Amino acid sequence: MNSGNFSTSSVMPAMEDLLQFLYLMPVGVVKFSADGAVDMMNPVASALLASITTADTLLDIYSALAPIAPDLRQRVARFSGPAGTIVEQQWLRALAGEQELVLSLTVNQIKHNVYMAVLTDVSRLSKQEEKLYVDRKKFFAIFDNVRDYAIYTITMDGLIEEWNQSVQRYAGWLAADVEGRSMSLLHPPDDPDRPRIDLLLAEAQRIGSTEIEGWVLKRDGSRLWANSVVTALPDESGTVRGFVVVSRDITERKGLEDKMKLLATVDSLTGAYNRRKGDTLLIAEASRHARNGRPFAVLMLDIDHFKAINDGFGHTAGDSVLCAFVRICKNTLRSIDMVVRWGGEEFLLVLPDTDASEAMSTAERVRAAASDMEVASPEGSPIRFTISIGVAVSTGDSPSDLLSRSDSALYAAKTGGRNRVILAS
């Protein structure tokens, strides 16, 4: 475990960009196993954990977080999925010296015995939000100066009552556009997860406040991802007379989270799907075939004499060839087709709704495009390469059998002279 700079001397070149990305991230990232042993930690995580625990406990994520998340080990142990979210943005409070530290904790299982914890210092944000909830008068005192928040009031039936400059800066809407209209105006009508305003207000009235995240429609038609808290406003007798909405633009944070999710499914060098995602795609297509009988094809591709490219031009040139090949595939295929880096210089193409004739035609186009491609070496000399392809079309067989048939066809293409396409029997 290295809590300082990442060492990449023994890491494959394809992983260096990922490690550099994790090192530069403005949030803490910790990779650990089910027993809590820390495998990797970036400097932000090291600094945050060191402020609440001793250096000796940094080798064990459960011990390091014990002061603020004593049940983390049990929550990880109870999680039954092969991958997914175990803890999502849980705010945890601790004392760092005489100062209160508030951390947001997210824990995901990436694959078997591989977990990722993301720690964010939200102390300043926590203090801001606590002040906003102190009383309604303070809300109105800062309405026109809030930057990343929108604060407005609504009636019992969800009509926007009071608008201000904070909301105009937030989403561009003018008071004349929205006052007296339903707050549903702010939610894209084509969003399948668009909230039901009546249910949202009923929950806020019942428990005092409720929180949602989702898309907010801006005046210019674009969207932002927002976290919104709807809080009931009772009068002196305790009767709810309306609501205040505090909405925060967290588009940047969502983008970061989406990138982290992408890292779990995409090969960092080429941008193709990784093998784990490829397995998922094959299972999904096999299930779809079982439901509707529509054929789909699998193409197993291998770059011919790739070792000679690496040996002759260097690994950087080899990486360039891999990336160029993925670009060829994406430019040649349909938007519904999927490119998977299966391993090394071997790739898998998954083609939905494709019969044998269509699959062979597609494979030949990809093969020809690769033959015509030139990739510049670091010295500037051109690199030419060819590919061999094995094609298999689903006949109701399992994904593993389909892969086996495509692999056998690829082997036949390689032994038959390379730079050719073979259809599996």
Side-chain angles (χ1 to χ4, degrees), residues 1-45:
M1 188 274 295
N2 186 351
S3 60
N5 294 334
F6 287 110
S7 173
T8 58
S9 59
S10 62
V11 182
M12 294 177 59
M15 295 298 294
E16 292 180 357
D17 289 343
L18 171 59
L19 292 176
Q20 185 67 12
F21 173 76
L22 293 175
Y23 175 75
L24 295 175
M25 283 179 64
V27 299
V29 179
V30 183
K31 179 186 174 188
F32 64 100
S33 55
D35 63 358
V38 173
D39 178 57
M40 187 178 297
M41 179 185 300
N42 73 350
V44 175

Side-chain angles (χ1 to χ4, degrees), residues 11 13 51 58 85 110 136 149 152 154-155 210 214 218 247 256 358 407:
V11 182
S51 66
L58 295 183
T85 301
I110 307 303
R136 192 179 177 210
Y149 289 82
Y152 58 96
I154 56 176
T155 64
T210 187
K218 300 174 71 172
S247 192
L256 181 61
E358 294 166 333
D407 190 53

Side-chain angles (χ1 to χ4, degrees), residues 26-74:
V27 299
V29 179
V30 183
K31 179 186 174 188
F32 64 100
S33 55
D35 63 358
V38 173
D39 178 57
M40 187 178 297
M41 179 185 300
N42 73 350
V44 175
S46 179
L48 290 175
L49 291 177
S51 66
I52 63 172
T53 188
T54 64
D56 292 339
T57 63
L58 295 183
L59 297 174
D60 179 5
I61 187 69
Y62 302 136
S63 298
L65 289 174
I68 55 176
D71 63 339
L72 181 58
R73 183 190 297 272
Q74 289 74 25

Side-chain angles (χ1 to χ4, degrees), residues 49-113:
L49 291 177
S51 66
I52 63 172
T53 188
T54 64
D56 292 339
T57 63
L58 295 183
L59 297 174
D60 179 5
I61 187 69
Y62 302 136
S63 298
L65 289 174
I68 55 176
D71 63 339
L72 181 58
R73 183 190 297 272
Q74 289 74 25
R75 296 177 73 173
V76 170
R78 288 197 301 267
F79 186 74
S80 59
T85 301
I86 301 172
V87 180
E88 185 171 11
Q89 296 175 18
Q90 181 179 354
W91 283 24
L92 305 167
R93 299 176 184 272
L95 283 177
E98 297 181 356
Q99 300 295 321
E100 183 183 56
L101 177 67
V102 183
L103 297 180
S104 172
L105 173 66
T106 296
V107 178
N108 290 286
Q109 182 172 349
I110 307 303
K111 61 181 180 180
H112 175 68
N113 204 32

Side-chain angles (χ1 to χ4, degrees), residues 31 56 107 126 128 164 172 185 194 247 305 314 405 421:
K31 179 186 174 188
D56 292 339
V107 178
S126 174
Q128 290 174 344
N164 54 80
L185 171 73
R194 187 183 194 214
S247 192
H305 303 297
R405 290 199 291 120
V421 179

Side-chain angles (χ1 to χ4, degrees), residues 18 21-22 258-268 274:
L18 171 59
F21 173 76
L22 293 175
D258 289 344
K259 286 180 182 178
M260 291 296 292
K261 292 177 182 177
L262 196 63
L263 288 175
T265 60
V266 173
D267 173 54
S268 61
N274 60 24

Side-chain angles (χ1 to χ4, degrees), residues 156-373:
M156 291 296 294
D157 51 1
L159 301 183
I160 297 171
E161 188 176 32
E162 296 185 53
W163 201 247
N164 54 80
Q165 289 296 316
S166 73
V167 192
Q168 185 172 334
R169 284 193 297 266
Y170 167 81
W173 294 101
L174 304 176
D177 299 324
V178 298
E179 285 183 347
R181 300 182 65 181
S182 172
M183 65 177 293
S184 61
L185 171 73
L186 305 179
H187 299 280
D190 59 344
D191 182 1
D193 298 319
R194 187 183 194 214
R196 281 272 305 273
I197 302 303
D198 56 341
L199 299 180
L200 189 68
L201 299 185
E203 182 176 12
Q205 184 173 4
R206 180 173 58 84
I207 62 176
S209 68
T210 187
E211 183 176 1
I212 60 170
E213 283 193 10
W215 290 112
V216 166
L217 185 66
K218 300 174 71 172
R219 190 172 189 259
D220 62 6
S222 61
R223 303 181 185 195
L224 60 87
W225 188 264
N227 171 276
S228 299
V229 178
V230 182
T231 302
L233 295 177
D235 60 15
E236 294 80 359
S237 67
T239 303
V240 175
R241 299 297 185 184
F243 304 88
V244 62
V245 181
V246 180
S247 192
R248 178 163 53 101
D249 183 354
I250 57 171
T251 307
E252 184 176 349
R253 190 193 76 187
K254 176 175 170 56
L256 181 61
E257 291 174 348
D258 289 344
K259 286 180 182 178
M260 291 296 292
K261 292 177 182 177
L262 196 63
L263 288 175
T265 60
V266 173
D267 173 54
S268 61
L269 173 66
T270 64
Y273 287 120
N274 60 24
R275 183 162 182 159
R276 179 174 174 272
K277 179 64 174 180
D279 287 331
T280 303
L281 295 173
L282 284 173
I283 293 172
E285 286 304 316
S287 298
R288 188 176 294 112
H289 173 77
R291 291 194 305 270
N292 57 31
R294 296 285 297 171
F296 75 97
V298 168
L299 279 57
M300 186 76 77
L301 307 91
D302 187 86
I303 298 177
D304 298 326
H305 303 297
F306 185 72
K307 184 177 184 300
I309 295 175
N310 273 338
D311 292 343
F313 297 95
H315 288 281
T316 299
D319 289 348
S320 297
V321 168
L322 295 174
C323 293
F325 175 64
V326 170
R327 289 196 299 272
I328 289 172
C329 292
K330 291 183 176 181
N331 291 336
T332 305
L333 301 177
R334 304 167 299 177
S335 60
I336 63 172
D337 298 328
M338 293 154 280
V339 185
V340 180
R341 187 178 182 189
W342 202 242
E345 70 273 19
E346 195 170 58
F347 291 82
L348 195 72
L349 305 184
V350 182
L351 312 181
D353 294 332
T354 302
D355 59 24
S357 175
E358 294 166 333
M360 290 294 288
S361 176
T362 298
E364 182 56 36
R365 288 200 306 273
V366 173
R367 186 206 62 77
S371 296
D372 293 338
M373 167 69 72

